[in-house]
Amino acid sequence: MAEKRIDIDDEALTAASAILGTSGTEETVNAALREIVAARARLDAWERLGEMGARGDFDDLANKRSNRA
């Protein structure tokens, strides 16, 4: 892992630490970085699902459910 020297907003660090349940600057910053990458991946997945729905990729599934008695 590369060592970097940066200025960090203390209030944001404290808030992030409380949200993430981390202790220490390094642990909090690394957890926050991992979380934002994971959040973007989830958002991208939702967008792809939305595009699939708009194309009608799930229409057959919906029709099968409505035809069940």
Side-chain angles (χ1 to χ4, degrees):
M1 208 180 307
E3 186 172 321
K4 309 282 184 203
R5 180 171 165 77
I6 60 172
D7 290 325
I8 297 176
D9 180 326
D10 289 332
E11 288 181 24
L13 180 66
T14 299
S17 178
I19 291 167
L20 296 167
T22 55
S23 60
T25 301
E26 184 176 342
E27 182 183 7
T28 301
V29 170
N30 285 323
L33 291 171
R34 286 189 296 273
E35 181 58 31
I36 195 65
V37 170
R40 172 52 72 174
R42 289 189 299 271
L43 178 61
D44 290 346
W46 278 111
E47 288 175 353
R48 285 192 304 275
L49 280 171
E51 291 167 0
M52 291 171 70
R55 281 195 312 263
D57 291 356
F58 303 116
D59 290 353
D60 287 341
L61 179 62
N63 289 335
K64 287 178 185 177
R65 284 190 178 162
S66 64
N67 291 331
R68 290 184 184 168

